[in-house]
Each structure stands twice: as structure tokens, then as C-alpha cells.
Amino acid sequence: MNSSTIRNNIRRLRFDNGQMTQQQLADRVGVTRQTIIAIEAGKYAPSLPLAFRIARTFNVPIEDVFQHEDSQAGAPQQ
Amino acid sequence: MSLKIKMQSAKLWNRCAMEFDRPLACAWGQKWREIMNKVQREAWIALLLVVPVWAICGQLPILLIYLEGPSFLHLFSFACATMIGGLSWLLLLFFNRKRSRKAKIEFDERDKLILIRSTLAGYTVLWIYFIAACIYVWLSVAPGRSISVNVMPTVIVEGIAVFIFTQSVTTLIQYGRGAKRSELKN
């Protein structure tokens, strides 16, 4: 069975960008602070437009903010 | 296997506890608006205020009609209670729209997703409730006999309460799943 997770570097990028607060980031990308908290904690996978808005806020490519991880539980079938 | 179930249930309990201790956090001085979304606040208000008030005020006219017989006042109060209880969300929509013109962002894609899921859960439970009510009436009263007319309004009034209760609880659980302890401290 495949299980995929999306890791993110939002916390690090916030601190790299002048210690931006969660509220400031939320205001810039147009969501609530609770949504930023959930994204940072990996509890919520944002939509593609929101992911692009976050990446644009930090002036980095989207791959630098979000990384997709595939972890296979169980032996691969050949 | 049992250890896994225990761990899962402990995790779920922690998540629920994280969400349900928010009113306590508010009581200890943290600002209501800072630690909760608009949808969360509405869910708490619905759970603590709307459901009990509705369950009592909606049932009161039915009880009075049952005890004293139908009169204009009783029927009018029932009509008013059901109109207000069933359609008050339209007023909420209107006031929210008016307020959101100047307010900061209080509703986003995650809130929308949570609201859709909780409404679906509420609808599912409401439907199961109606089916169970029908089966209960059929089983308790033989098909050839009749039931009191008070059963129908009671089932409808309690159905609305069940829907609001389920929607609120599932909304709060979903917010609890995404929450962290630090959220309360910030």
C-alpha cells in the first residue's frame, strides 16, 4: 500500500524571511493563521494555488517549499 | 494489534481534548478570536447554545399542545420556533456577508473543506436518525394501529437538533486534528 506525505519548509522559510509570523504569512497568502499552523504541522495539504502563493511570498520555487514523499508499506509486486 | 488500537485511540483522545479545552483557554483569558476560526466559534456556539435552546424551545410548544390541546397560541409559538430554528441560518449568512466586507480573512479553503465534510456527516446522521425513527415507530406500534400526531413534529424538531449537534462536533474534531498545543500558547 502506498502512503504519501507532503513535507514543507515553511517554518524555516518564515524565519529566513525576517522572522515572519504565522499571521503575517496568512495575511499575505489570504488564509487564516490556523490554516498556516495546520500546513506547517503537516496536517493539511494546501491546494495548488495556495501552494504557489506561499512559494511566491518567499520568492522561491514551489519545490523548495513543499516536497512530496512516497513511502511504500509492503513489498513491491513484480 | 491491540497496542496499535490503544495508540490510535490515545491519539484521537488527545486530538479531541486539544479541541475541547479551547473554551477553558478562553475562560483563562485568551482571546476568543485569536485562538479560533469563525467556523470553530460558530460550531462552539451551536454546540453549547443553539442545540440546547433549540431542543427545549422546539419541544415546549409540542408538549403544551400534547397537554392542553391545540390552540392558536400554541400553534403560533410552534410555527415561530420552527421558523426561527430552521431558517435562522439565513440571517447568519446575511450578517456574515455584511461583516466580511471589512473584516480580515476569516474563512479559507480549509474551512470550506471542513464545513463540507461536517455538513455531509450531519446529513448522514440525520438520515440514519429518520430511518431509525421510522423503524422504531413501526416496531413499537403495529402497522394496523395509529400513532400520536405529536410524534411527527417531535421527530422533525429533534432531527434538526441532531443535525446541528453532529455538524458542530465533526467540525470541532476536524479542527482538533489539525491543531497543535502551541496554537493555544501563541
Side-chain angles (χ1 to χ4, degrees):
Chain A
M1 198 180 92
N2 277 343
S3 64
S4 59
T5 53
I6 294 177
R7 282 196 307 112
N8 67 80
N9 300 317
I10 294 176
R11 181 176 282 270
R12 186 179 57 76
L13 287 164
R14 275 197 304 113
F15 283 97
D16 290 349
N17 281 266
Q19 298 206 332
M20 191 189 288
T21 62
Q22 289 170 335
Q23 186 63 62
Q24 284 169 338
L25 177 60
D27 291 341
R28 284 194 193 184
V29 298
V31 295
T32 60
R33 191 172 71 92
Q34 282 82 0
T35 299
I36 297 296
I37 291 165
I39 294 169
E40 274 189 12
K43 302 285 182 186
Y44 174 65
S47 68
L48 212 46
L50 176 57
F52 275 110
R53 284 205 300 275
I54 292 169
R56 204 173 295 149
T57 304
F58 294 126
N59 285 319
V60 290
I62 198 165
E63 296 85 8
D64 289 359
V65 186
F66 297 100
Q67 292 88 37
H68 183 251
E69 280 184 346
D70 273 329
S71 58
Q72 284 196 335
Q77 292 178 349
Q78 288 184 351
Chain B
M1 185 66 185
S2 62
L3 185 69
K4 199 177 175 184
I5 291 168
K6 271 182 190 173
M7 280 173 70
Q8 287 288 341
S9 57
K11 222 176 184 179
L12 187 67
W13 171 251
N14 282 338
R15 281 168 179 172
C16 291
M18 231 178 265
E19 180 52 48
F20 286 91
D21 68 1
R22 274 163 199 269
L24 288 175
C26 286
W28 283 104
Q30 290 204 25
K31 284 182 187 171
W32 170 255
R33 283 179 181 277
E34 273 180 19
I35 60 168
M36 286 192 213
N37 275 355
K38 193 187 78 166
V39 182
Q40 265 175 302
R41 290 197 299 270
E42 285 172 0
W44 272 114
I45 290 167
L47 195 64
L48 299 177
L49 194 72
V50 176
V51 172
V53 169
W54 169 248
I56 294 165
C57 293
Q59 290 290 348
L60 203 62
I62 301 169
L63 184 70
L64 289 173
I65 291 168
Y66 174 71
L67 292 173
E68 298 174 5
S71 69
F72 174 76
L73 188 67
H74 293 155
L75 294 174
F76 184 72
S77 60
F78 174 74
C80 285
T82 44
M83 288 286 274
I84 292 166
L87 302 176
S88 56
W89 59 273
L90 287 173
L91 287 173
L92 277 174
L93 272 181
F94 175 74
F95 282 119
N96 280 340
R97 191 170 292 173
K98 206 172 177 183
R99 200 172 45 184
S100 64
R101 282 177 197 156
K102 52 187 176 182
K104 62 172 187 175
I105 299 144
E106 286 196 296
F107 189 83
D108 59 22
E109 56 178 49
R110 178 168 167 255
D111 300 317
K112 191 179 171 185
L113 194 69
I114 286 173
L115 206 57
I116 289 169
R117 282 180 188 158
S118 59
T119 306
L120 275 174
Y123 175 75
T124 308
V125 172
L126 176 69
W127 198 240
I128 290 167
Y129 163 80
F130 277 135
I131 293 167
C134 290
I135 290 171
Y136 174 73
V137 170
W138 271 322
L139 289 177
S140 60
V141 182
R145 292 170 66 195
S146 60
I147 57 165
S148 167
V149 287
N150 294 311
V151 171
M152 194 180 75
T154 307
V155 167
I156 291 170
V157 165
E158 291 309 316
I160 294 170
V162 164
F163 176 78
I164 299 170
F165 178 81
T166 313
Q167 196 191 25
S168 307
V169 168
T170 46
T171 299
L172 294 173
I173 287 172
Q174 285 181 85
Y175 276 111
R177 287 179 69 184
K180 284 176 81 180
R181 275 286 162 194
S182 59
E183 198 179 337
L184 291 172
K185 288 171 189 165
N186 284 342

